[in-house]
Amino acid sequence: MSVSFDFSETETQQNVKAMVRDFAEKNIRPNIMEWDEAQHFPVELFKQLGELGLMGVLVPEEYGGSGLGYQEYVDVIVEVARVCGSIGLSLAAHNSLCTGHILAFANEEQKQRWLPKLATAQWIGAWGLTEANTGSDALRMMTTAVEDGDDYIINGAKNWITHGKSGDIAVVMVRTGEQGSSKGISAIVVERGTPGFTAGKKENKLGMRASETTEMIFDNCRVPKANLLGNVGEGFKQAMKVLDGGRISIAALALGIAKGAFDAAVAYSKQRQQFGQPISSFQAISFKLADMATEIEAAELLIRQAADLKNRHLPMTKESAMAKYFASEVSVKVATEAVQIFGGYGYTKDFPVEKFYRDSKLCTIGEGTSEIQKIVIAREILA
């Protein structure tokens, strides 16, 4: 199938980018190292983002959201992540995973119940798939949901969950059938305050430290059957579709980090003097910048293509996997080269690139490793 794309920016995109960029400079940049050092998840900031409509970017206006498309969503994540990857990650997880799952698979009553609170950041959302022994091997999850009258009784634990402690609501994948079966998993919404639903260990991470990552623990947690999303046994299929969009989120996150590191490297190379001239005049540095710029442009084109397909409800599993794989690897490469351009200063916390360097690596791991993306891409091209 031959498909043409027009990636020229709309007026809406320009306005959204300007608004987010201004907000990030005023409200995020002054605090990034304090939040990073303390591993502080700034819930109050996300309430402000909710007031701007950025916690429900893709949610229709009838449910309290902004009703925008994936191109605008990419712009939001990129502009936040080029200042702070941690905030970009939490923003992406809330929008595309928890909120996105409910938007895609909830019935009308469920949407009316949960989406307005999520879209306005009255509630922060979490999404639970990964477990301690089932990262990429999700079909062997151990968390179970057993029917008991009009309820499910959930037992088990989820690991590496963004907002696992501070989240007010979580979409949780649970085993309702045979282990290893794609039809043995269901998706259930669990609200904070439900007896038996608690937070466990908070991870002490290399990067993305202001984005909260914790365990979610379920101990005879009783949840109404009315909280089931779709039908029993559809959870794994739902999760894979959610992750198709989630790959665009992480790709945009990676792109934002790469752009932030690149911007810092360009500015520093023009200012830093060696041998009586700015280091940008040396071919060794200018060629690094040329490679960085080229790979950033290529990553953005892949992301824009995937976002365009998503907007038009066309198949995009291969394209989103390509965008996520390439952009995340580029992010690490660009951040690494930025540290190199800064030299010894790049290794200190007095300059921004060491944080971009630490934050970038998560993009090659979260929501499907680079290796998993290659499996997805290969499966699609060999089908």
Side-chain angles (χ1 to χ4, degrees):
M1 179 176 65
S2 177
V3 183
S4 60
F5 302 99
D6 178 9
F7 298 144
S8 55
E9 278 191 351
T10 64
E11 184 178 353
T12 299
Q13 279 184 266
Q14 292 172 357
N15 291 338
V16 167
K17 286 175 71 172
M19 175 188 70
V20 177
R21 188 172 296 176
D22 181 65
F23 179 87
E25 289 296 332
K26 291 179 180 178
N27 299 282
I28 299 176
R29 192 177 295 281
N31 303 299
I32 54 177
M33 291 312 297
E34 179 184 345
W35 292 340
D36 184 81
E37 292 285 332
Q39 288 205 98
H40 172 66
F41 176 57
V43 174
E44 64 283 353
L45 178 82
F46 289 90
K47 302 297 184 182
Q48 293 177 274
L49 288 167
E51 292 173 4
L52 294 176
L54 300 178
M55 296 293 272
V57 178
L58 301 165
V59 176
E61 293 181 22
E62 65 190 278
Y63 302 116
S66 297
L68 298 173
Y70 260 79
Q71 300 293 5
E72 291 84 3
Y73 176 58
V74 166
D75 289 326
V76 169
I77 301 301
V78 168
E79 291 303 320
V80 171
R82 72 193 301 167
V83 174
C84 180
S86 295
I87 305 305
L89 174 61
S90 279
L91 189 61
H94 175 93
N95 271 280
S96 83
L97 295 181
C98 180
T99 305
H101 197 139
I102 292 171
L103 180 62
F105 297 106
N107 59 39
E108 185 59 30
E109 185 276 328
Q110 291 170 330
K111 289 179 181 179
Q112 294 284 357
R113 184 161 31 131
W114 294 315
L115 286 178
K117 293 179 180 178
L118 286 164
T120 57
Q122 181 180 342
W123 280 7
I124 303 294
W127 192 77
L129 175 64
T130 304
E131 297 183 4
N133 296 312
T134 58
S136 300
D137 189 13
L139 287 177
R140 286 172 174 77
M141 68 175 58
M142 299 298 290
T143 299
T144 58
V146 178
E147 292 187 57
D148 183 33
D150 292 331
D151 300 326
Y152 283 105
I153 307 298
I154 303 176
N155 281 286
K158 296 292 179 178
N159 290 59
W160 304 107
I161 307 304
T162 304
H163 314 145
K165 179 180 180 181
S166 296
D168 301 282
I169 182 173
V171 178
V172 185
M173 266 49 68
V174 295
R175 186 157 58 82
T176 50
E178 293 184 15
Q179 191 177 51
S181 170
S182 62
K183 296 182 180 178
I185 295 172
S186 302
I188 298 177
V189 173
V190 186
E191 297 180 12
R192 185 67 62 186
T194 303
F197 176 29
T198 58
K201 175 189 175 185
K202 179 177 179 179
E203 303 297 340
N204 186 9
K205 298 177 296 182
L206 168 73
M208 301 291 194
R209 290 169 59 81
S211 179
E212 177 188 277
T213 306
T214 66
E215 291 178 305
M216 292 193 303
I217 299 171
F218 303 92
D219 182 11
N220 290 320
C221 179
R222 182 178 291 271
V223 179
K225 285 184 176 178
N227 287 19
L228 178 73
L229 295 178
N231 297 315
V232 174
E234 293 180 347
F236 185 74
K237 182 189 297 184
Q238 292 176 10
M240 293 305 102
K241 290 182 179 178
V242 169
L243 286 174
D244 272 352
R247 291 183 184 119
I248 297 175
S249 291
I250 301 300
L253 176 68
L255 179 64
I257 292 170
K259 286 189 172 187
F262 176 74
D263 290 344
V266 169
Y268 182 80
S269 73
K270 292 179 178 179
Q271 172 263 324
R272 172 67 168 167
Q273 296 274 331
Q274 289 288 276
F275 305 103
Q277 54 190 312
I279 62 172
S280 60
S281 66
F282 299 119
Q283 190 177 82
I285 301 300
S286 64
F287 276 18
K288 284 185 186 294
L289 295 171
D291 286 339
M292 293 157 75
T294 301
E295 293 193 331
I296 287 171
E297 291 276 349
E300 181 152 17
L301 287 171
L302 283 171
I303 295 166
R304 295 296 177 183
Q305 174 183 244
D308 183 75
L309 291 170
K310 181 71 172 174
N311 273 343
R312 294 193 281 155
H313 307 289
L314 294 173
M316 37 69 79
T317 298
K318 179 187 71 175
E319 289 78 6
S320 66
M322 285 180 168
K324 198 273 187 187
Y325 165 55
F326 188 75
S328 62
E329 295 291 339
V330 164
S331 186
V332 173
K333 289 169 67 176
V334 168
T336 302
E337 290 288 43
V339 171
Q340 192 71 17
I341 288 170
F342 271 75
Y345 292 111
Y347 207 65
T348 72
K349 293 182 181 290
D350 295 329
F351 291 84
V353 289
E354 69 84 29
K355 183 175 181 298
F356 287 123
Y357 180 70
R358 289 186 289 109
D359 288 349
S360 67
K361 189 57 191 170
L362 185 277
C363 298
T364 70
I365 299 170
E367 293 192 39
T369 63
S370 291
E371 291 75 18
I372 288 294
Q373 304 312 317
K374 289 182 185 180
I375 290 173
V376 172
I377 295 163
R379 185 180 295 146
E380 289 293 313
I381 63 179
L382 294 172

mmCIF file of all heavy atoms in Angstrom, residues 301-340:
data_model
loop_
_atom_site.group_PDB
_atom_site.id
_atom_site.type_symbol
_atom_site.label_atom_id
_atom_site.label_comp_id
_atom_site.label_asym_id
_atom_site.label_seq_id
_atom_site.Cartn_x
_atom_site.Cartn_y
_atom_site.Cartn_z
ATOM 1 N N LEU A 301 10.906 11.699 11.715
ATOM 2 C CA LEU A 301 10.107 11.285 10.556
ATOM 3 C C LEU A 301 9.422 9.944 10.820
ATOM 4 O O LEU A 301 8.252 9.762 10.465
ATOM 5 C CB LEU A 301 10.980 11.208 9.308
ATOM 6 C CG LEU A 301 11.399 12.556 8.716
ATOM 7 C CD1 LEU A 301 12.440 12.365 7.619
ATOM 8 C CD2 LEU A 301 10.177 13.307 8.159
ATOM 9 N N LEU A 302 10.129 9.012 11.433
ATOM 10 C CA LEU A 302 9.512 7.732 11.768
ATOM 11 C C LEU A 302 8.368 7.923 12.761
ATOM 12 O O LEU A 302 7.308 7.284 12.639
ATOM 13 C CB LEU A 302 10.557 6.785 12.368
ATOM 14 C CG LEU A 302 11.525 6.114 11.390
ATOM 15 C CD1 LEU A 302 12.623 5.388 12.150
ATOM 16 C CD2 LEU A 302 10.781 5.142 10.482
ATOM 17 N N ILE A 303 8.572 8.798 13.731
ATOM 18 C CA ILE A 303 7.532 9.048 14.735
ATOM 19 C C ILE A 303 6.315 9.709 14.097
ATOM 20 O O ILE A 303 5.166 9.330 14.368
ATOM 21 C CB ILE A 303 8.086 9.923 15.872
ATOM 22 C CG1 ILE A 303 9.176 9.172 16.639
ATOM 23 C CG2 ILE A 303 6.969 10.350 16.829
ATOM 24 C CD1 ILE A 303 10.009 10.050 17.558
ATOM 25 N N ARG A 304 6.553 10.690 13.243
ATOM 26 C CA ARG A 304 5.439 11.389 12.592
ATOM 27 C C ARG A 304 4.647 10.434 11.704
ATOM 28 O O ARG A 304 3.423 10.525 11.603
ATOM 29 C CB ARG A 304 5.968 12.574 11.781
ATOM 30 C CG ARG A 304 6.606 13.671 12.618
ATOM 31 C CD ARG A 304 5.617 14.330 13.559
ATOM 32 N NE ARG A 304 6.261 15.341 14.414
ATOM 33 C CZ ARG A 304 5.637 16.018 15.356
ATOM 34 N NH1 ARG A 304 4.358 15.819 15.593
ATOM 35 N NH2 ARG A 304 6.294 16.911 16.087
ATOM 36 N N GLN A 305 5.342 9.513 11.053
ATOM 37 C CA GLN A 305 4.649 8.525 10.220
ATOM 38 C C GLN A 305 3.738 7.646 11.074
ATOM 39 O O GLN A 305 2.569 7.423 10.736
ATOM 40 C CB GLN A 305 5.664 7.649 9.484
ATOM 41 C CG GLN A 305 5.026 6.507 8.708
ATOM 42 C CD GLN A 305 6.052 5.604 8.047
ATOM 43 O OE1 GLN A 305 6.126 5.506 6.834
ATOM 44 N NE2 GLN A 305 6.868 4.943 8.855
ATOM 45 N N ALA A 306 4.268 7.143 12.181
ATOM 46 C CA ALA A 306 3.466 6.291 13.059
ATOM 47 C C ALA A 306 2.275 7.060 13.629
ATOM 48 O O ALA A 306 1.151 6.526 13.714
ATOM 49 C CB ALA A 306 4.332 5.744 14.193
ATOM 50 N N ALA A 307 2.503 8.315 14.021
ATOM 51 C CA ALA A 307 1.418 9.141 14.569
ATOM 52 C C ALA A 307 0.337 9.395 13.525
ATOM 53 O O ALA A 307 -0.863 9.387 13.838
ATOM 54 C CB ALA A 307 1.981 10.466 15.081
ATOM 55 N N ASP A 308 0.749 9.601 12.296
ATOM 56 C CA ASP A 308 -0.211 9.832 11.218
ATOM 57 C C ASP A 308 -1.085 8.596 11.000
ATOM 58 O O ASP A 308 -2.310 8.701 10.853
ATOM 59 C CB ASP A 308 0.531 10.194 9.927
ATOM 60 C CG ASP A 308 -0.414 10.517 8.788
ATOM 61 O OD1 ASP A 308 -1.007 11.613 8.792
ATOM 62 O OD2 ASP A 308 -0.586 9.666 7.886
ATOM 63 N N LEU A 309 -0.466 7.433 10.980
ATOM 64 C CA LEU A 309 -1.226 6.193 10.821
ATOM 65 C C LEU A 309 -2.178 5.991 11.989
ATOM 66 O O LEU A 309 -3.329 5.578 11.802
ATOM 67 C CB LEU A 309 -0.263 5.008 10.709
ATOM 68 C CG LEU A 309 0.571 4.944 9.421
ATOM 69 C CD1 LEU A 309 1.650 3.869 9.535
ATOM 70 C CD2 LEU A 309 -0.314 4.673 8.214
ATOM 71 N N LYS A 310 -1.711 6.275 13.197
ATOM 72 C CA LYS A 310 -2.551 6.139 14.384
ATOM 73 C C LYS A 310 -3.752 7.078 14.307
ATOM 74 O O LYS A 310 -4.883 6.680 14.630
ATOM 75 C CB LYS A 310 -1.716 6.444 15.634
ATOM 76 C CG LYS A 310 -2.470 6.303 16.951
ATOM 77 C CD LYS A 310 -2.769 4.868 17.284
ATOM 78 C CE LYS A 310 -3.355 4.745 18.685
ATOM 79 N NZ LYS A 310 -3.782 3.360 18.980
ATOM 80 N N ASN A 311 -3.518 8.310 13.885
ATOM 81 C CA ASN A 311 -4.610 9.277 13.736
ATOM 82 C C ASN A 311 -5.676 8.779 12.773
ATOM 83 O O ASN A 311 -6.869 9.033 12.948
ATOM 84 C CB ASN A 311 -4.080 10.616 13.233
ATOM 85 C CG ASN A 311 -3.624 11.530 14.358
ATOM 86 O OD1 ASN A 311 -3.968 11.322 15.518
ATOM 87 N ND2 ASN A 311 -2.845 12.535 14.015
ATOM 88 N N ARG A 312 -5.229 8.070 11.720
ATOM 89 C CA ARG A 312 -6.161 7.620 10.680
ATOM 90 C C ARG A 312 -6.662 6.197 10.930
ATOM 91 O O ARG A 312 -7.295 5.609 10.056
ATOM 92 C CB ARG A 312 -5.487 7.725 9.316
ATOM 93 C CG ARG A 312 -5.208 9.183 8.932
ATOM 94 C CD ARG A 312 -4.841 9.314 7.478
ATOM 95 N NE ARG A 312 -3.462 8.937 7.223
ATOM 96 C CZ ARG A 312 -3.013 8.503 6.041
ATOM 97 N NH1 ARG A 312 -3.854 8.357 5.041
ATOM 98 N NH2 ARG A 312 -1.748 8.206 5.872
ATOM 99 N N HIS A 313 -6.363 5.674 12.111
ATOM 100 C CA HIS A 313 -6.844 4.349 12.512
ATOM 101 C C HIS A 313 -6.407 3.265 11.533
ATOM 102 O O HIS A 313 -7.159 2.312 11.258
ATOM 103 C CB HIS A 313 -8.373 4.355 12.655
ATOM 104 C CG HIS A 313 -8.889 5.441 13.542
ATOM 105 N ND1 HIS A 313 -8.709 5.437 14.919
ATOM 106 C CD2 HIS A 313 -9.537 6.606 13.256
ATOM 107 C CE1 HIS A 313 -9.256 6.524 15.436
ATOM 108 N NE2 HIS A 313 -9.752 7.257 14.462
ATOM 109 N N LEU A 314 -5.196 3.417 11.014
ATOM 110 C CA LEU A 314 -4.615 2.423 10.110
ATOM 111 C C LEU A 314 -3.621 1.550 10.880
ATOM 112 O O LEU A 314 -3.097 1.962 11.918
ATOM 113 C CB LEU A 314 -3.896 3.124 8.951
ATOM 114 C CG LEU A 314 -4.786 3.913 7.979
ATOM 115 C CD1 LEU A 314 -3.928 4.706 6.990
ATOM 116 C CD2 LEU A 314 -5.731 2.980 7.233
ATOM 117 N N PRO A 315 -3.347 0.346 10.390
ATOM 118 C CA PRO A 315 -2.369 -0.516 11.071
ATOM 119 C C PRO A 315 -1.020 0.199 11.195
ATOM 120 O O PRO A 315 -0.538 0.793 10.230
ATOM 121 C CB PRO A 315 -2.270 -1.731 10.142
ATOM 122 C CG PRO A 315 -3.567 -1.763 9.397
ATOM 123 C CD PRO A 315 -3.941 -0.315 9.206
ATOM 124 N N MET A 316 -0.429 0.118 12.404
ATOM 125 C CA MET A 316 0.836 0.821 12.615
ATOM 126 C C MET A 316 1.749 0.105 13.599
ATOM 127 O O MET A 316 2.639 0.702 14.193
ATOM 128 C CB MET A 316 0.587 2.267 13.081
ATOM 129 C CG MET A 316 -0.575 2.478 14.024
ATOM 130 S SD MET A 316 -0.350 1.782 15.668
ATOM 131 C CE MET A 316 0.690 3.022 16.382
ATOM 132 N N THR A 317 1.529 -1.196 13.758
ATOM 133 C CA THR A 317 2.363 -1.972 14.686
ATOM 134 C C THR A 317 3.833 -1.902 14.276
ATOM 135 O O THR A 317 4.715 -1.636 15.101
ATOM 136 C CB THR A 317 1.893 -3.436 14.741
ATOM 137 O OG1 THR A 317 0.554 -3.473 15.243
ATOM 138 C CG2 THR A 317 2.794 -4.260 15.637
ATOM 139 N N LYS A 318 4.104 -2.151 13.006
ATOM 140 C CA LYS A 318 5.485 -2.117 12.512
ATOM 141 C C LYS A 318 6.061 -0.714 12.624
ATOM 142 O O LYS A 318 7.190 -0.525 13.115
ATOM 143 C CB LYS A 318 5.541 -2.570 11.052
ATOM 144 C CG LYS A 318 6.945 -2.546 10.443
ATOM 145 C CD LYS A 318 6.934 -2.841 8.945
ATOM 146 C CE LYS A 318 6.343 -1.677 8.162
ATOM 147 N NZ LYS A 318 6.429 -1.891 6.693
ATOM 148 N N GLU A 319 5.302 0.277 12.208
ATOM 149 C CA GLU A 319 5.805 1.645 12.187
ATOM 150 C C GLU A 319 6.062 2.190 13.592
ATOM 151 O O GLU A 319 7.047 2.892 13.820
ATOM 152 C CB GLU A 319 4.824 2.556 11.433
ATOM 153 C CG GLU A 319 4.785 2.321 9.932
ATOM 154 C CD GLU A 319 3.975 1.103 9.509
ATOM 155 O OE1 GLU A 319 3.322 0.481 10.388
ATOM 156 O OE2 GLU A 319 3.992 0.765 8.311
ATOM 157 N N SER A 320 5.181 1.871 14.533
ATOM 158 C CA SER A 320 5.395 2.350 15.907
ATOM 159 C C SER A 320 6.595 1.645 16.537
ATOM 160 O O SER A 320 7.354 2.256 17.291
ATOM 161 C CB SER A 320 4.143 2.154 16.757
ATOM 162 O OG SER A 320 3.841 0.787 16.953
ATOM 163 N N ALA A 321 6.774 0.357 16.237
ATOM 164 C CA ALA A 321 7.934 -0.372 16.754
ATOM 165 C C ALA A 321 9.226 0.186 16.164
ATOM 166 O O ALA A 321 10.234 0.327 16.872
ATOM 167 C CB ALA A 321 7.802 -1.863 16.449
ATOM 168 N N MET A 322 9.217 0.488 14.871
ATOM 169 C CA MET A 322 10.391 1.092 14.233
ATOM 170 C C MET A 322 10.713 2.438 14.858
ATOM 171 O O MET A 322 11.877 2.754 15.149
ATOM 172 C CB MET A 322 10.154 1.264 12.733
ATOM 173 C CG MET A 322 10.225 -0.005 11.924
ATOM 174 S SD MET A 322 9.914 0.346 10.168
ATOM 175 C CE MET A 322 10.425 -1.214 9.425
ATOM 176 N N ALA A 323 9.685 3.251 15.077
ATOM 177 C CA ALA A 323 9.886 4.581 15.651
ATOM 178 C C ALA A 323 10.457 4.469 17.061
ATOM 179 O O ALA A 323 11.403 5.181 17.421
ATOM 180 C CB ALA A 323 8.566 5.344 15.674
ATOM 181 N N LYS A 324 9.895 3.566 17.855
ATOM 182 C CA LYS A 324 10.351 3.401 19.232
ATOM 183 C C LYS A 324 11.783 2.878 19.265
ATOM 184 O O LYS A 324 12.632 3.377 20.015
ATOM 185 C CB LYS A 324 9.404 2.458 19.965
ATOM 186 C CG LYS A 324 9.475 2.523 21.493
ATOM 187 C CD LYS A 324 10.530 1.601 22.069
ATOM 188 C CE LYS A 324 10.465 1.571 23.583
ATOM 189 N NZ LYS A 324 11.587 0.805 24.182
ATOM 190 N N TYR A 325 12.059 1.864 18.470
ATOM 191 C CA TYR A 325 13.395 1.271 18.437
ATOM 192 C C TYR A 325 14.445 2.288 18.000
ATOM 193 O O TYR A 325 15.450 2.511 18.688
ATOM 194 C CB TYR A 325 13.386 0.060 17.489
ATOM 195 C CG TYR A 325 14.753 -0.428 17.096
ATOM 196 C CD1 TYR A 325 15.702 -0.770 18.055
ATOM 197 C CD2 TYR A 325 15.106 -0.561 15.756
ATOM 198 C CE1 TYR A 325 16.962 -1.224 17.693
ATOM 199 C CE2 TYR A 325 16.357 -1.013 15.382
ATOM 200 C CZ TYR A 325 17.279 -1.346 16.353
ATOM 201 O OH TYR A 325 18.525 -1.781 15.990
ATOM 202 N N PHE A 326 14.199 2.949 16.884
ATOM 203 C CA PHE A 326 15.199 3.864 16.334
ATOM 204 C C PHE A 326 15.371 5.097 17.214
ATOM 205 O O PHE A 326 16.498 5.495 17.546
ATOM 206 C CB PHE A 326 14.811 4.273 14.917
ATOM 207 C CG PHE A 326 15.878 5.056 14.203
ATOM 208 C CD1 PHE A 326 17.008 4.435 13.700
ATOM 209 C CD2 PHE A 326 15.759 6.431 14.043
ATOM 210 C CE1 PHE A 326 17.999 5.161 13.047
ATOM 211 C CE2 PHE A 326 16.740 7.161 13.395
ATOM 212 C CZ PHE A 326 17.864 6.524 12.897
ATOM 213 N N ALA A 327 14.264 5.706 17.610
ATOM 214 C CA ALA A 327 14.347 6.943 18.400
ATOM 215 C C ALA A 327 15.023 6.703 19.744
ATOM 216 O O ALA A 327 15.806 7.538 20.217
ATOM 217 C CB ALA A 327 12.951 7.532 18.606
ATOM 218 N N SER A 328 14.747 5.581 20.399
ATOM 219 C CA SER A 328 15.344 5.325 21.699
ATOM 220 C C SER A 328 16.848 5.091 21.586
ATOM 221 O O SER A 328 17.629 5.581 22.420
ATOM 222 C CB SER A 328 14.669 4.131 22.385
ATOM 223 O OG SER A 328 14.830 2.939 21.645
ATOM 224 N N GLU A 329 17.268 4.378 20.548
ATOM 225 C CA GLU A 329 18.701 4.159 20.352
ATOM 226 C C GLU A 329 19.402 5.471 19.980
ATOM 227 O O GLU A 329 20.523 5.741 20.433
ATOM 228 C CB GLU A 329 18.929 3.099 19.270
ATOM 229 C CG GLU A 329 18.426 1.707 19.640
ATOM 230 C CD GLU A 329 19.234 1.047 20.750
ATOM 231 O OE1 GLU A 329 20.393 1.446 20.982
ATOM 232 O OE2 GLU A 329 18.705 0.120 21.389
ATOM 233 N N VAL A 330 18.732 6.284 19.173
ATOM 234 C CA VAL A 330 19.286 7.592 18.810
ATOM 235 C C VAL A 330 19.424 8.469 20.048
ATOM 236 O O VAL A 330 20.417 9.187 20.222
ATOM 237 C CB VAL A 330 18.404 8.290 17.746
ATOM 238 C CG1 VAL A 330 18.721 9.782 17.647
ATOM 239 C CG2 VAL A 330 18.596 7.622 16.392
ATOM 240 N N SER A 331 18.436 8.411 20.931
ATOM 241 C CA SER A 331 18.473 9.220 22.145
ATOM 242 C C SER A 331 19.719 8.914 22.966
ATOM 243 O O SER A 331 20.403 9.824 23.455
ATOM 244 C CB SER A 331 17.212 8.969 22.972
ATOM 245 O OG SER A 331 17.149 9.818 24.084
ATOM 246 N N VAL A 332 20.017 7.637 23.132
ATOM 247 C CA VAL A 332 21.208 7.237 23.885
ATOM 248 C C VAL A 332 22.478 7.720 23.181
ATOM 249 O O VAL A 332 23.394 8.252 23.829
ATOM 250 C CB VAL A 332 21.242 5.704 24.069
ATOM 251 C CG1 VAL A 332 22.564 5.261 24.692
ATOM 252 C CG2 VAL A 332 20.073 5.243 24.948
ATOM 253 N N LYS A 333 22.529 7.559 21.860
ATOM 254 C CA LYS A 333 23.717 7.976 21.106
ATOM 255 C C LYS A 333 23.930 9.485 21.181
ATOM 256 O O LYS A 333 25.053 9.961 21.397
ATOM 257 C CB LYS A 333 23.586 7.530 19.647
ATOM 258 C CG LYS A 333 23.712 6.039 19.440
ATOM 259 C CD LYS A 333 23.306 5.614 18.047
ATOM 260 C CE LYS A 333 24.259 6.139 16.985
ATOM 261 N NZ LYS A 333 23.883 5.617 15.634
ATOM 262 N N VAL A 334 22.853 10.237 21.020
ATOM 263 C CA VAL A 334 22.960 11.697 21.041
ATOM 264 C C VAL A 334 23.367 12.177 22.431
ATOM 265 O O VAL A 334 24.226 13.064 22.573
ATOM 266 C CB VAL A 334 21.630 12.343 20.597
ATOM 267 C CG1 VAL A 334 21.624 13.843 20.899
ATOM 268 C CG2 VAL A 334 21.401 12.113 19.101
ATOM 269 N N ALA A 335 22.743 11.611 23.466
ATOM 270 C CA ALA A 335 23.092 12.015 24.829
ATOM 271 C C ALA A 335 24.543 11.667 25.156
ATOM 272 O O ALA A 335 25.247 12.443 25.822
ATOM 273 C CB ALA A 335 22.149 11.343 25.822
ATOM 274 N N THR A 336 25.009 10.529 24.679
ATOM 275 C CA THR A 336 26.404 10.123 24.889
ATOM 276 C C THR A 336 27.364 11.094 24.217
ATOM 277 O O THR A 336 28.363 11.526 24.815
ATOM 278 C CB THR A 336 26.633 8.699 24.346
ATOM 279 O OG1 THR A 336 25.750 7.789 25.000
ATOM 280 C CG2 THR A 336 28.071 8.256 24.572
ATOM 281 N N GLU A 337 27.061 11.458 22.983
ATOM 282 C CA GLU A 337 27.918 12.400 22.256
ATOM 283 C C GLU A 337 27.869 13.786 22.882
ATOM 284 O O GLU A 337 28.871 14.514 22.874
ATOM 285 C CB GLU A 337 27.498 12.463 20.779
ATOM 286 C CG GLU A 337 27.799 11.205 19.979
ATOM 287 C CD GLU A 337 29.282 11.015 19.707
ATOM 288 O OE1 GLU A 337 30.118 11.217 20.626
ATOM 289 O OE2 GLU A 337 29.628 10.668 18.566
ATOM 290 N N ALA A 338 26.719 14.156 23.441
ATOM 291 C CA ALA A 338 26.616 15.454 24.111
ATOM 292 C C ALA A 338 27.544 15.514 25.316
ATOM 293 O O ALA A 338 28.242 16.514 25.538
ATOM 294 C CB ALA A 338 25.166 15.716 24.531
ATOM 295 N N VAL A 339 27.564 14.427 26.088
ATOM 296 C CA VAL A 339 28.492 14.366 27.224
ATOM 297 C C VAL A 339 29.931 14.483 26.728
ATOM 298 O O VAL A 339 30.760 15.196 27.317
ATOM 299 C CB VAL A 339 28.296 13.059 28.019
ATOM 300 C CG1 VAL A 339 29.409 12.882 29.055
ATOM 301 C CG2 VAL A 339 26.931 13.049 28.712
ATOM 302 N N GLN A 340 30.235 13.813 25.635
ATOM 303 C CA GLN A 340 31.595 13.857 25.077
ATOM 304 C C GLN A 340 31.980 15.270 24.648
ATOM 305 O O GLN A 340 33.103 15.726 24.876
ATOM 306 C CB GLN A 340 31.694 12.899 23.889
ATOM 307 C CG GLN A 340 33.112 12.627 23.410
ATOM 308 C CD GLN A 340 33.911 11.782 24.392
ATOM 309 O OE1 GLN A 340 33.332 11.136 25.266
ATOM 310 N NE2 GLN A 340 35.225 11.799 24.279
#
